[in-house]
Amino acid sequence: MPTEEELFTAVDALLEGEPQLPSPAERSRLREAAGVTQARLAQVLQSTTQTVKNWENGRSEPRPPRLQAYQRLLEGWAAKYPSASVPESFAGSVERPAAPQLRDEPAPPTAAPAIDPVRAASAARPSTSRRPAAKKAASKSAASAAVVDERFANGPLAVLDGDGSVYCVGGLVLDCPAKTFPALVDWALAEAKLGAPRLNRNGKDADPLIVLTDAAAERLGLPAVLEDRRGLRLAEDHKVVKQLVKARWRLTKRGFGPWARVYRPAEGGKRQCVQFAILPWGALDTRSWGNTDQLPPADVAAVLGTYATRVLTPRGSTAVCGLELMSALRPPTRAVKDPATGSWVSGPNPGSLTEPVDPAPPEAPAEHPLVASRYPRHHVRTPDQVIDEEAYDWFRLLTDEECTQGYTHAVGIDVNMAFAAAANRLVIGTGPATHVKNPAFDPKLPGSWLLDLSHIETDPRLPSPFTPKGTRPTGPAWYSTSTVAYAVELGAPIQPSEAYVRHEHGAYFDAWYARLRDAYMATMADLGVEAGMSEADFLAAMARHKNVDPGQAAVLSAIKSTVKGGIGKLRERPQSIKHKFGEPWPALSRATWSPHARAELIGKVRTNQHRKLTAWARAGLFPVAILSDCAVYLSHGPSPLDFMPHTDDGKPLPGGFRLGVSPGMVKHEGTRDFLWLAQTIEDEQINPARHIKGDDAPDSGE
């Protein structure tokens, strides 16, 4: 039995434990009452604005020593700005709902919708729940969020199981009486209260998403395996398709496949559309979602709900979602008043990609009609005929000095969200290209430029910034504005002989980047990795983050895939086996089909990376291999801290790579021993960055 003294000591320790902070909503109220911005508070506490945001929306909690300082500040504010609804006891403060948002106003592009399925259950639920406990489990943090649009009271999506149970975001389970697809569509539109508000006032509300488990698909009459593996669609004479047609529902051109969209034409401005994801047919690609489709229905709803809350309701592959997010944040059209009739009509939305635009000839892929009209089918275009803006795939032989320096390891570092970071503040063309001869280069004018950069000298231990393979250009070639601007930055004299420039342009990707950045940062915080960590703490957190929460790890993977897949879709090539060379394909009819935008972005990724490589090279540190956004360096130890250069006061070298979670900073990608590196380069002639993770799986970067 413990002694009285031991018990008193334990109680005293409990009383002196970590400070009890008020609710996230009360923290926000107190700061706003004091007239202090999140950025100012972050500066005072020597943290970041994103971290303060996380504290105020309940995604994370402060840690010592900031915890004590933050509590002291809040206590002072609470004494100065008491609320009528808040008891005098500081620890007993209640939460205050935020002001409701008008239905017709857009949700801020960088703000998550009201419900976070990981942190909070739904605040308002209908009486159809078979589990009253789901209502009681609703956390107080949901009450602090913005008022939920009653049209979408049950969240953006739901997972249907074989017994008719519908698992919604936040733990709610509903009964679905539908036993046929037409009945399920009617239920989803009339009773389910599923969907999400638009991300931009000129956009559209997100349609309900119903995810079908294996048992649910069988119950509704779908085959366990989709036999048409090439077309990925159900046969038109299948009974489910016939049921929908008989009920006057329509399918999109892609038919009834893993991601099926069932709709009727809008009536009175009201959409009638339901999206379906069929899990047994591979709707959730394991490369993006891991084993999410093998989780229990409630967990599938939580994972997809988190993604829907932070990014958007899934509408297909993560690549499709990446492209759809661009249009959701910057819709191609908006309502404008016709001066002749005084009525409201649809018009182009300034700053958006509003209509399909033909690429410039050097920007078009080989199958494009513009290329087919100029060259024979099997003609291989030279650099002065086609632009080649791609990410790095480069490695070099080791020098004699490097082989005698006693290096023991090769360490890879990878840039976080490199392609998303490059999209920030990137100016792209939003209109057609204009062909000009002998133009003066303008770094503010997006386009493609023909010029010779072969005269620019670079250190042989560094890749050239102008080619994906890192080799020196051999003559005139086409480059994006991003790449030419970097050549000017290096002090090189340039004179383009030809260009395709775009006078209509703008920072189209800014809102897209901001939303994906916030989604990424919030998810990393849930996995225990936050901005402001010391380098050692960051590396330790990254080593364990994938094992903290498998569901959140799947969300993180999906967010990263959304970035790269969306960028890839900007230059989507023919997908059908029936496509004939030189004929248009469906992607060309999209306003977001823009190979020019992709070239500008990837050119910026590569030049951003070269700028940091050069900063380290000035300190005597040279990479031996690069693949996409991963660079491999020689090291005397297995950790990035064993070779990364720092200033005399211990800070990262200015202008170079920095360890951290934010997009554009780097993490540890993997470590191999020096002998493996030498063999891979010298004997096998393989880029070691492709296998630096140590699992013999090709590295795809992030």
Side-chain angles (χ1 to χ4, degrees), residues 521-608:
M521 293 294 288
T523 306
M524 290 299 288
D526 284 342
L527 292 170
V529 187
E530 297 190 50
M533 284 182 160
S534 69
E535 291 181 329
D537 287 345
F538 168 72
L539 290 173
M542 286 298 298
R544 60 177 180 267
H545 80 286
K546 290 185 178 180
N547 299 320
V548 170
D549 184 335
Q552 286 296 302
V555 174
L556 179 65
S557 174
I559 291 171
K560 293 177 180 179
S561 296
T562 300
V563 173
K564 282 202 168 180
I567 294 169
K569 281 281 187 180
L570 292 170
R571 197 191 64 167
E572 182 178 355
R573 304 180 87 156
Q575 303 295 311
S576 174
I577 194 172
K578 297 179 181 179
H579 176 262
K580 295 182 180 179
F581 179 79
E583 290 186 352
W585 57 95
L588 302 187
S589 62
R590 293 195 315 249
T592 49
W593 192 83
S594 178
H596 146 72
R598 178 183 178 275
E600 287 284 6
L601 197 153
I602 295 181
K604 187 178 177 183
V605 170
R606 198 180 61 250
T607 53
N608 280 351

Side-chain angles (χ1 to χ4, degrees), residues 636-670:
H636 291 287
S639 168
L641 295 178
D642 292 321
F643 74 92
M644 294 184 74
H646 291 78
T647 60
D648 293 339
D649 56 358
K651 295 182 178 180
L653 192 71
F657 298 106
R658 300 182 62 184
L659 285 170
V661 68
S662 298
M665 300 178 79
V666 300
K667 68 178 189 301
H668 181 204
E669 181 72 354

Side-chain angles (χ1 to χ4, degrees), residues 81 350 402 404 431 464 605 612:
Y81 309 108
E402 289 170 334
T404 59
S464 166
V605 170
K612 294 179 180 180

Side-chain angles (χ1 to χ4, degrees), residues 98-107 112-115 122-126 142 145-157 191-199 204-206 270:
Q101 183 179 3
L102 295 179
R103 183 174 297 181
D104 292 333
E105 290 185 356
I115 305 172
S122 178
R125 300 301 187 191
V147 174
V148 177
D149 189 325
E150 281 303 315
R151 298 173 300 165
F152 315 125
N154 293 330
L157 56 87
E191 300 180 39
K193 292 189 177 183
L194 296 173
R198 65 198 71 180
L199 298 179
K204 300 181 179 69
D205 296 330
K270 184 177 181 181

Side-chain angles (χ1 to χ4, degrees), residues 383-445:
D384 61 340
Q385 295 173 338
V386 60
I387 192 169
D388 186 24
E389 295 285 12
E390 299 292 343
Y392 273 132
D393 185 357
W394 169 88
F395 67 99
R396 64 174 174 84
L397 297 177
L398 300 177
T399 65
D400 292 340
E401 182 182 3
E402 289 170 334
C403 292
T404 59
Q405 289 297 311
Y407 290 113
T408 57
H409 294 86
V411 181
I413 54 174
D414 184 85
V415 181
N416 303 320
M417 300 276 282
F419 292 86
N424 187 29
R425 297 191 297 275
L426 176 69
V427 176
I428 66 165
T430 56
T434 301
H435 185 219
V436 291
K437 289 283 190 178
N438 301 314
F441 175 68
D442 183 353
K444 297 182 180 179
L445 199 58

Side-chain angles (χ1 to χ4, degrees), residues 27 41 45 55 62 66-74:
R27 302 170 200 174
L41 178 56
L45 296 178
W55 295 346
R66 293 186 179 89
L67 174 60
Q68 291 80 0
Y70 188 36
Q71 200 226 5
R72 182 177 181 181
L73 178 63
L74 292 175

